[in-house]
Amino acid sequence: MDLDQLKKLSSLKFEKSQQALSGLLRRENELRAELARMREYARTTQAQDPSHAQMRAVGADIIWLKWVGKVQRELNISLAGVLAQKETLMARHRQANGRKIVAEALANEDAATRRDTKSKSQLHSAMDHSVFGKPD
């Protein structure tokens, strides 16, 4: 396998890793937004004005807060799972990025070496041609 192919392969693996991480980050943001919404529900329920006294009298606010708490626990569990996956994907993503950087550096170095070799060869050929005339 030549270095240009290695460079392309490592770039593709990095892009795949980036896409997987992007999807996971989107899910994390959704869960965090939903948790914020549930916290806001709990806050507004607890800060109700006296005009909602009837709701408090029948215990509807307690039932509502219990449901909000249950949903928050479920969302926190889901978020914990996403964060654990994110940790694993971040390690893989850093590794893919490192491999991509090294492959690019190796390919660039190899290309520069080939250019230098070709340039020196052309220079030697031109010098030989000018000193010795046309080669037989």
Side-chain angles (χ1 to χ4, degrees), residues 95-125:
Q95 188 177 39
N97 187 37
R99 287 180 177 168
K100 177 182 147 250
I101 290 169
V102 169
E104 287 173 351
L106 288 173
N108 292 341
E109 185 179 315
D110 184 54
T113 302
R114 280 190 270 125
R115 275 193 311 273
D116 289 346
T117 303
K118 183 179 179 181
S119 180
K120 286 178 184 177
S121 173
Q122 288 174 343
L123 180 61
H124 286 290
S125 176

Side-chain angles (χ1 to χ4, degrees), residues 64-123:
W64 172 252
L65 288 172
K66 187 176 179 180
W67 178 83
V68 168
K70 178 183 172 213
V71 170
Q72 283 179 320
R73 277 189 301 282
E74 291 169 358
L75 289 170
N76 278 321
I77 290 169
S78 295
L79 181 61
V82 166
L83 291 175
Q85 288 176 341
K86 179 181 169 184
E87 182 84 22
T88 302
L89 280 180
M90 287 297 291
R92 288 183 191 156
H93 186 67
R94 281 190 295 273
Q95 188 177 39
N97 187 37
R99 287 180 177 168
K100 177 182 147 250
I101 290 169
V102 169
E104 287 173 351
L106 288 173
N108 292 341
E109 185 179 315
D110 184 54
T113 302
R114 280 190 270 125
R115 275 193 311 273
D116 289 346
T117 303
K118 183 179 179 181
S119 180
K120 286 178 184 177
S121 173
Q122 288 174 343
L123 180 61

Side-chain angles (χ1 to χ4, degrees), residues 32-65:
R32 288 186 186 278
E34 190 63 22
L35 275 166
R37 191 169 69 110
M38 288 296 135
R39 278 192 298 273
E40 185 59 32
Y41 284 162
R43 193 173 307 123
T44 57
T45 301
Q46 291 168 347
Q48 286 179 353
D49 59 1
S51 65
H52 293 98
Q54 186 179 18
M55 202 167 100
R56 284 196 172 145
V58 294
D61 59 338
I62 302 298
I63 295 169
W64 172 252
L65 288 172

Side-chain angles (χ1 to χ4, degrees), residues 13 24 88:
K13 285 188 173 186
L24 200 61
T88 302

